[in-house]
Amino acid sequence: MPITAYCPPAPGRVPLLGHGPALLRRPLTFFEATRTADPLVRVGFGPVSVFLANEPALVHRIQVDTDTFERGRFFEALAGNFGNPLIAASGPLHQHQRRTLKPPFSRRSVRDYTEVIADETEARVGGWQAGRAVAADQEISDLVAAVVMRCLFSTELSHATVREVRETMGAISRRLLPQTILPAALGAIPTPGNRRFTAAVNRFHATVDQLIRERRAAPGEHHDVLSALLDSTHPETGAHLTDVQIRSEFLILLFAALETTSTSLSWAVFESTVRPEVQRRLQDEADRVLGGGPVTYDRLTDLVFTRKVIDETLRLHAPMLSTRRAKRAVTLAGVDIPKGAEVGYSPRAVHRAADLYEAPSVFDPDRAGPDDGTDRPRGAYFPFGTGPHRCIGEHLALTTMTVILASLAARWDLRIAPGTRRISEVNSSLPHLSSLPLLPTSRV
């Protein structure tokens, strides 16, 4: 189907190579630069082309209109790393698996998890030594991995296994953006890096397969994700999921729960550490609300400033790109989009848009939030997505981040370790910190 209305290219296109050189030159700011006054622009990377929505209303529609749009290249790249699980599919398959997995993510379940999160935090963060530098980004990632494994899978892994989980998930995240915008054949080239990546994924597969075998041998009384998966059936065949299918669901849920939560929490700790006034306000709130005790579920709503820090972190440090695919021909902003075309949006670009946020690149936890009655349109803030594919683990992620950030504030005064080289942003589907070496001083 031909395009009957003109869709301008995003800035930076060159003949034949499209926007590939521009992305390579400025990977962290490329998508921000594509957000022009045009509601829809076109970006191309060699043979791969995407219609990119700039207007919040279009971004919102692409996420909620599942009659027109289905999962696209980004989700295919994500799911392909895990064996194409049902929860990453579109339509009835996705909705079936979402209903199956909903109970362990319910507010009642998350309430029960809060004590586990607080206990894990105290066990790990409480073990830091005053005056001794810690690699906080790694510590936070290991902590979140341990929390997720205990809460969602009733499983405790060794420190070495937790670290390998974290490193494997990080490697997958770094590959997602290239896998989305580059031809799939490039990922199959047996380079040393590709071979190392495949070996790490295979080791993790073996770990998960062992957990599944152990649970089948001794099912017990568990009310977690792994039990829900063992009881799950395929909506089309009615057959119980195989161990390989269970592994696929397990891995993608672990990735979603771990990668976003740990990365965002590391950014929240960084942003508050380099701003003494923000850290002091977090500490004052923790002292007032917690009174020297642990974070409990009924105290979460009183941690107002802590939540503001998290909300602002999620705004400023958002994923680079998400895509959908047109299931049928559709017109967006006067442009006829053919069936099968890739349509996408950049959460990072929208969340940093100057027409939506004043001083958008500035970290400001006092900024009016999504529930503060602003006149921002729908589609201006969506850290967990929206519509039928909204993140199933949103409440668990926010609870985990709030508990850990408040616990850190109550126990430690933090500063960047002396002698640290410049801490920078690392290109990834969700940009990471290059490092986060912190020097803790006890407050208790």
Side-chain angles (χ1 to χ4, degrees), residues 110 113 117 121 143-144 147-148 151 257 261 265 300 310 394-406:
V110 172
Y113 299 151
I117 301 169
T121 303
L143 169 57
V144 172
V147 164
V148 169
C151 292
T261 305
L265 184 57
L300 292 177
I310 292 168
E394 175 179 356
H395 192 48
L396 175 60
L398 289 171
T399 298
T400 300
M401 286 190 280
T402 304
V403 170
I404 296 175
L405 190 59

Side-chain angles (χ1 to χ4, degrees), residues 54-387:
N54 287 327
E55 192 175 83
L58 292 181
V59 172
H60 181 78
R61 179 184 173 184
I62 290 167
Q63 293 184 78
V64 303
D65 185 0
T66 54
D67 290 334
T68 304
F69 303 103
E70 61 184 356
R71 304 279 205 180
R73 288 180 63 92
F74 177 85
F75 290 99
E76 288 174 349
L78 176 62
N81 284 287
F82 302 111
N84 296 306
L86 298 177
I87 194 66
S90 297
L93 291 177
H94 172 266
Q95 293 304 316
H96 167 86
Q97 201 66 340
R98 189 180 177 94
R99 286 192 297 270
T100 297
L101 297 170
K102 187 176 180 179
F105 291 97
S106 68
R107 289 185 177 271
R108 177 177 295 180
S109 294
V110 172
R111 184 184 188 96
D112 294 339
Y113 299 151
T114 306
E115 184 176 352
V116 172
I117 301 169
D119 288 347
E120 276 294 341
T121 303
E122 176 58 27
R124 290 172 180 262
V125 173
W128 292 358
Q129 296 180 29
R132 183 173 180 178
V134 295
D137 55 327
Q138 297 179 20
E139 293 282 316
I140 289 169
S141 187
D142 289 351
L143 169 57
V144 172
V147 164
V148 169
M149 293 302 295
R150 281 191 62 186
C151 292
L152 296 183
F153 305 107
S154 303
T155 300
E156 294 187 56
L157 300 178
S158 70
H159 286 285
T161 303
V162 166
R163 183 143 296 187
E164 183 160 36
V165 169
R166 185 251 300 164
E167 291 175 351
T168 303
M169 295 299 173
I172 290 172
S173 179
R174 288 190 294 273
R175 285 170 171 258
L176 276 179
L177 187 58
Q179 288 176 337
T180 301
I181 62 178
L182 297 176
L186 294 180
I189 299 173
T191 63
N194 284 342
R195 288 197 296 267
R196 287 193 298 271
F197 174 76
T198 300
V201 170
N202 287 340
R203 287 195 300 273
F204 190 42
H205 283 182
T207 299
V208 175
D209 290 345
Q210 180 63 27
L211 294 176
I212 294 170
R213 287 194 295 270
E214 290 173 357
R215 179 63 66 84
R216 284 197 187 279
E221 287 295 324
H222 299 286
H223 302 284
D224 60 4
V225 168
L226 188 50
S227 292
L229 289 171
L230 288 168
D231 292 338
S232 182
T233 58
H234 196 287
E236 294 177 344
T237 66
H240 281 280
L241 301 183
T242 66
D243 284 7
V244 173
Q245 290 170 323
I246 290 173
R247 181 220 290 159
S248 297
E249 305 293 331
F250 185 113
L251 288 174
I252 197 167
L253 288 170
L254 180 58
F255 176 84
L258 171 59
E259 182 65 11
T260 301
T261 305
S262 61
T263 301
S264 298
L265 184 57
S266 291
W267 278 115
V269 172
F270 168 79
E271 296 288 4
S272 56
T273 298
V274 299
R275 294 172 175 79
E277 174 63 15
V278 172
Q279 183 171 201
R280 184 192 61 76
R281 291 173 66 184
L282 285 172
Q283 292 168 343
D284 289 348
E285 181 173 84
D287 293 345
R288 184 180 69 256
V289 173
L290 305 180
V295 184
T296 56
Y297 187 83
D298 59 343
R299 292 292 189 182
L300 292 177
T301 55
D302 297 326
L303 294 167
V304 176
F305 184 70
T306 305
R307 177 60 186 272
K308 283 181 173 291
V309 169
I310 292 168
D311 285 343
E312 177 68 349
T313 300
L314 293 171
R315 181 197 68 82
L316 189 62
H317 300 288
M320 291 289 206
L321 177 68
S322 188
T323 65
R324 297 289 195 271
R325 181 172 294 125
K327 296 163 62 175
R328 57 181 176 82
V330 61
T331 300
L332 293 178
V335 177
D336 289 337
I337 308 295
K339 177 181 178 181
E342 292 291 322
V343 179
Y345 50 90
S346 172
R348 180 183 176 97
V350 176
H351 284 185
R352 293 182 175 216
D355 59 318
L356 300 173
Y357 297 94
E358 184 178 354
S361 62
V362 173
F363 180 84
D364 177 13
D366 290 316
R367 188 186 303 277
D371 300 320
D372 293 337
T374 72
D375 58 358
R376 295 189 198 107
R378 289 189 305 178
Y381 182 78
F382 49 98
F384 295 94
T386 192

